[in-house]
Amino acid sequence: MKKVFSRSKLLKDVPTHYCPGCGHGIVHRLIAEVIEELGIREKTIGIAPVGCAVIAYDYWDFDVCEAAHGRTPAVATGIKRVLPDRIVFTYQGDGDLAAIGTSEILHTANRGENISVVFVNNGVYGMTGGQMAPTTLINQRTATTYSGRNPKLDGYPLNITDLLKYLNGAYYLERCSVHSPKEVLKTKQAIKKVLQNQIEGRGFSLVEVLSMCPTYWNMSTQQAVDWIGANVVKQYPLGIIKNGDQA
Amino acid sequence: MGKIKINKEKCKGCGLCVIYCPNKLVRISEELNKKGLYTVKFEDNGKKCTGCSMCALMCPDFAIEVYR
Amino acid sequence: MSKVVKRILITGNEACAEGAIRAGCRFYAGYPITPQNELIGYMSKRMREAGGTFIQAESELAAINMVFGAAAAGERAMTSSSGPGISLKQEGISYLSGCELPAVVVNVMRGGPGLGNIAPSQSDYFQATRGGGHGDYRTIVLAPASVEEFATFAFDAFDLADKYRIVTLVLTDGALGQMMEPVPGSLFSDMKPAKRQSKKGWILDGCRGRKARSIKSLFLKDGELEELNKKLQRKYEEISKKEVRCEVLYEKDSEIFLIAYGIVARIVKSCVEKMRKNGLKVGVIRPITLWPFPNDIISKAVSKAKSMLVVEMSEGQMVEDVRLAVGDKCKVRFYGRSGGNIPTEDEITKILIDSRRGK
């Protein structure tokens, strides 16, 4: 028998700190696989967020820069402008991108910076203990919405990726998920697309990935994948939101 | 036909592979790894594994290798 | 026929920008704020002429983080602002310090706190020299007192920043920034950057031919962060030994020293010239690096002086450093104007005359 599936060489052989059933590990693997397949490891620079994935550089075996919370797109802008022939991507959570970093992501997209963004949306602030995030669903209970998110007090779930659609600088926007094998494969294609866009100089490309957070959703892995399929996708529908190729 | 190898020390017993194995060949076992987590076990007496890699696709901890 | 002396009439802000370009700065990210707008305006044209990157960012906060990225990629990078914007950059400056990234930040101070006003001030001294960000870190702080110095200090700042992989702050005020003064015609053409050390050993430019690396300031493992802090402290000690700059006038025979920096030092100098004509034994100490602060020079001057008068455009900030340097060896008095007001010669002279009569 031949080995048909194994850990990408771009993933260091170390255990991750992520909780059981967390989607970050899957997205890390997909990014490593795509970069390996595109053969761009030696000219890729990833920017890690502040959040659960802050130590992504412990897992990826290519250059990674750390950024202050929410400032990931600004750091990416600085690097990409200085090294335009390198492949620069940001890896951000929903707090990093859609709360404190809203201004940075919006203006980076608006400037059409030729970078790729992988935006992991798991609906809570994982690293700090499961607080409400901009993407927390209505009535969803978190460490800071104990009796459920009440829009009148806590605001509505923010569809930041749809918001970016109206920026001419945003070339490609897609939303995927990792809650089932089919979606994982689609996510891999999307990650390849946003990196390919950058290689071809097409401009700002972002993929939002719905991801499970069993620990802070207080659910089992099964419940978590079901929760995405039944509820999260209603607020955050999957699919291509903007495709510059067809503009 | 196919088979998989599970790296017990990397597995956190999250069960994503258990959920998505089409032939239900993986289950959470009583075996603990060094971290004290229940790890999953691949049992394929009937040789039903096709090496489809659904389990490996879902594994967040890069713990599964698939052979066909 | 008198020899024609070629000179350039230029604002401080623009001279600073040109100095930076001449130092090889090829990345600037900034944001409009008075009294620094001439700098970002000039840079927007000149940087692109020089083949570099100019970005007007969405905020000062984004700008400093763009500078962070450019520095991580090995470019000589700079941002500029005034007090309110520099406050927004403090987080970024702390991260730059924790990652030991070189960068140049220019603060053209205005009246504060809060929105304050747009008149000149020196009330960001604490923020500049103590660091407004979190953690134990220092930034080199250069304080020009003329348009020419604003240009040459901006030029020097890049070598200092790269040499020590440290943030170097050029601290001046709205008056110096916006006023025009003639500078020598060859000031800029003579600016030739020294040979630059390669940054290949630590920058992020893709791991071709080397192991992958990261630039970060998160150190979770036991003892790691303290180790970084000790390394930073050794760096700061070295800088304190080697990079102090200070100007002293009438060191030998002065009984009273006036201590001021930046534009106030010019007022104090003309004041001192007049008083010396009236037989008053008065000297000037002008700190040029506000960090590292010229402690030794000041404490040495104290051995001769009876008293010191610190003059600032603030309610008294550098005076604390002077008192630290002097201890109880002699009396240190303070006179300052805040809210964007500039102390005048008459006010300073009156203070001195009164003090001689033991008021």
Side-chain angles (χ1 to χ4, degrees):
Chain A
M1 279 192 204
K2 203 161 61 47
K3 189 191 288 188
V4 292
F5 192 106
S6 66
R7 184 173 52 78
S8 154
K9 285 196 293 302
L10 271 62
L11 288 168
K12 294 177 186 166
D13 189 9
V14 292
T16 71
H17 70 293
Y18 297 116
C19 305
C22 164
H24 273 302
I26 301 171
V27 184
H28 280 34
R29 195 194 72 235
L30 295 178
I31 287 173
E33 287 168 2
V34 167
I35 289 175
E36 193 174 3
E37 285 156 24
L38 292 172
I40 53 172
R41 170 180 178 267
E42 292 190 338
K43 54 182 207 159
T44 296
I45 300 162
I47 326 271
V50 169
C52 286
V54 64
I55 49 175
Y57 39 73
D58 284 352
Y59 308 127
W60 286 324
D61 189 19
F62 47 78
D63 276 7
V64 179
C65 188
E66 191 183 78
H69 192 33
R71 318 310 170 200
T72 326
V75 171
T77 299
I79 294 177
K80 185 68 180 182
R81 291 289 188 106
V82 170
L83 301 168
D85 61 346
R86 299 312 196 276
I87 303 306
V88 177
F89 76 92
T90 72
Y91 186 100
Q92 299 180 253
D94 35 32
D96 195 85
L97 184 137
I100 190 168
T102 316
S103 172
E104 275 72 18
I105 195 65
L106 199 130
H107 284 278
T108 302
N110 194 52
R111 286 191 305 269
E113 298 290 343
N114 186 29
I115 64 167
S116 314
V117 176
V118 178
F119 161 33
V120 178
N121 171 1
N122 64 4
V124 284
Y125 280 76
M127 181 169 107
T128 45
Q131 293 76 19
M132 176 184 84
T135 49
T136 297
L137 301 185
I138 294 176
N139 299 329
Q140 183 177 346
R141 293 177 55 163
T142 70
T144 47
T145 56
Y146 184 72
S147 49
R149 181 176 191 169
N150 172 356
K152 295 217 172 8
L153 302 173
D154 310 315
Y156 290 87
L158 178 62
N159 280 44
I160 185 83
T161 306
D162 302 275
L163 212 65
L164 299 177
K165 180 170 67 181
Y166 299 100
L167 304 175
N168 295 335
Y171 183 83
Y172 186 87
L173 302 167
E174 180 172 2
R175 182 180 298 117
C176 312
S177 176
V178 285
H179 73 285
S180 75
K182 184 184 83 170
E183 299 306 337
V184 165
L185 286 174
K186 277 204 252 166
T187 300
K188 179 169 182 177
Q189 290 316 318
I191 290 173
K192 182 169 258 183
K193 177 66 177 161
V194 297
L195 286 170
Q196 196 62 44
N197 279 356
Q198 181 175 168
I199 293 168
E200 291 159 12
R202 292 172 189 274
F204 182 87
S205 301
L206 175 146
V207 55
E208 175 182 350
V209 184
L210 303 185
S211 170
M212 302 78 72
C213 178
T215 300
Y216 292 116
W217 291 358
N218 301 320
M219 293 174 188
S220 70
T221 307
Q222 178 71 65
Q223 288 167 325
V225 296
D226 296 344
W227 171 265
I228 292 182
N231 300 298
V232 182
V233 292
K234 285 208 184 71
Q235 176 66 43
Y236 297 98
L238 305 181
I240 295 179
I241 295 161
K242 184 174 184 181
N243 189 345
D245 301 347
Q246 283 134 17
Chain B
M1 296 321 286
K3 75 173 170 62
I4 64 171
K5 247 186 1 201
I6 296 167
N7 178 332
K8 223 175 101 176
E9 288 317 315
K10 286 267 186 66
C11 169
K12 294 174 183 162
C14 74
L16 280 169
C17 52
V18 175
I19 294 169
Y20 284 108
C21 171
N23 298 320
K24 296 298 167 207
L25 304 173
V26 195
R27 67 175 178 79
I28 295 182
S29 73
E30 321 70 39
E31 283 172 38
L32 300 175
N33 64 14
K34 285 204 200 86
K35 289 194 180 119
L37 296 167
Y38 288 109
T39 58
V40 291
K41 210 169 181 35
F42 171 66
E43 283 161 344
D44 184 13
N45 310 341
K47 293 277 175 278
K48 286 195 268 170
C49 173
T50 63
C52 70
S53 303
M54 292 284 183
C55 54
L57 271 175
M58 290 310 293
C59 179
D61 294 286
F62 342 130
I64 300 177
E65 283 179 344
V66 183
Y67 299 81
R68 212 181 289 145
Chain C
M1 222 270 277
S2 64
K3 185 171 160 311
V4 171
V5 175
K6 183 171 177 294
R7 289 207 268 177
I8 303 166
L9 191 59
I10 187 170
T11 66
N13 283 333
E14 287 159 341
C16 169
E18 185 58 32
I21 294 281
R22 298 284 172 160
C25 168
R26 288 299 175 269
F27 186 94
Y28 173 89
Y31 191 86
I33 185 169
T34 305
Q36 160 270 170
N37 299 313
E38 297 77 9
L39 201 161
I40 183 172
Y42 184 91
M43 206 52 120
S44 67
K45 184 170 71 65
R46 189 71 177 85
M47 178 59 87
R48 287 177 180 163
E49 261 171 28
T53 298
F54 168 86
I55 301 177
Q56 181 176 318
E58 57 269 28
S59 68
E60 290 94 342
L61 190 146
I64 190 76
N65 281 285
M66 291 176 189
V67 163
F68 181 102
E75 187 59 272
R76 284 193 153 183
M78 165 181 171
T79 184
S80 63
S81 188
S82 181
I86 299 292
S87 294
L88 284 177
K89 294 179 196 284
Q90 293 305 312
E91 177 197 47
I93 291 172
S94 175
Y95 276 74
L96 282 161
S97 307
C99 295
E100 296 190 84
L101 287 175
V104 173
V105 177
V106 177
N107 179 4
V108 184
M109 289 184 279
R110 63 191 255 171
L115 201 46
N117 64 19
I118 55 171
S121 161
Q122 295 183 326
S123 52
D124 303 349
Y125 177 93
F126 281 155
Q127 180 188 54
T129 57
R130 294 313 186 268
H134 53 288
D136 290 301
Y137 71 92
R138 294 288 192 171
T139 61
I140 293 176
V141 183
L142 295 167
S146 68
V147 166
E148 182 174 349
E149 275 191 349
F150 199 3
T152 53
F153 288 4
F155 179 83
D156 295 345
F158 286 93
D159 284 341
L160 286 168
D162 280 357
K163 182 176 168 189
Y164 296 102
R165 286 175 61 184
I166 190 170
V167 173
T168 301
L169 188 66
V170 181
L171 188 70
T172 185
D173 60 83
L176 197 63
Q178 291 183 317
M179 76 186 195
M180 292 185 105
E181 247 182 344
V183 299
S186 63
L187 174 67
F188 297 115
S189 48
D190 292 347
M191 283 182 175
K192 297 278 181 297
K195 205 180 136 336
R196 282 152 60 163
Q197 303 154 319
S198 160
K199 298 183 176 179
K200 280 289 176 195
W202 54 269
I203 60 173
L204 294 184
D205 57 350
C207 60
R208 180 192 301 279
R210 63 168 169 76
K211 277 166 64 57
R213 64 169 70 119
S214 59
I215 286 184
K216 66 186 186 103
S217 52
L218 179 73
F219 296 97
L220 295 172
K221 294 197 185 64
D222 190 26
E224 253 186 347
L225 187 54
E226 185 165 41
E227 204 184 306
L228 169 77
N229 271 291
K230 292 298 180 207
K231 180 183 177 201
L232 293 178
Q233 292 304 316
R234 282 192 299 276
K235 178 195 304 193
Y236 301 145
E237 266 152 44
E238 186 192 352
I239 295 171
S240 301
K241 285 200 199 75
K242 293 183 184 159
E243 304 295 345
V244 171
R245 298 184 192 187
C246 185
E247 180 188 16
V248 185
L249 301 180
Y250 307 111
E251 188 177 355
K252 298 276 175 305
D253 66 342
S254 293
E255 291 162 13
I256 301 174
F257 275 100
L258 277 80
I259 304 179
Y261 70 93
I263 200 158
V264 177
R266 292 169 67 150
I267 302 165
V268 158
K269 278 183 190 171
S270 55
C271 209
V272 160
E273 294 308 329
K274 286 203 182 86
M275 279 187 275
R276 287 197 80 91
K277 286 198 186 77
N278 300 342
L280 256 167
K281 294 219 170 337
V282 191
V284 179
I285 298 174
R286 171 171 78 107
I288 294 172
T289 54
L290 301 182
W291 192 86
F293 194 68
N295 294 302
D296 304 340
I297 293 170
I298 291 175
S299 59
K300 205 176 91 213
V302 162
S303 55
K304 304 188 199 69
K306 287 209 205 72
S307 78
M308 293 196 161
L309 175 64
V310 178
V311 186
E312 296 175 73
M313 288 199 292
S314 74
E315 291 300 336
Q317 296 186 25
M318 182 174 68
V319 59
E320 294 192 4
D321 280 338
V322 173
R323 286 192 175 122
L324 279 174
V326 165
D328 53 12
K329 279 185 257 163
C330 100
K331 193 157 177 17
V332 177
R333 296 214 321 289
F334 168 74
Y335 177 70
R337 296 294 306 274
S338 64
N341 295 306
I342 301 178
T344 66
E345 273 182 38
D346 299 344
E347 290 163 12
I348 299 169
T349 311
K350 185 173 175 306
I351 300 273
L352 276 172
I353 306 294
D354 292 351
S355 77
R356 277 182 59 76
R357 289 202 199 91
K359 275 227 186 63

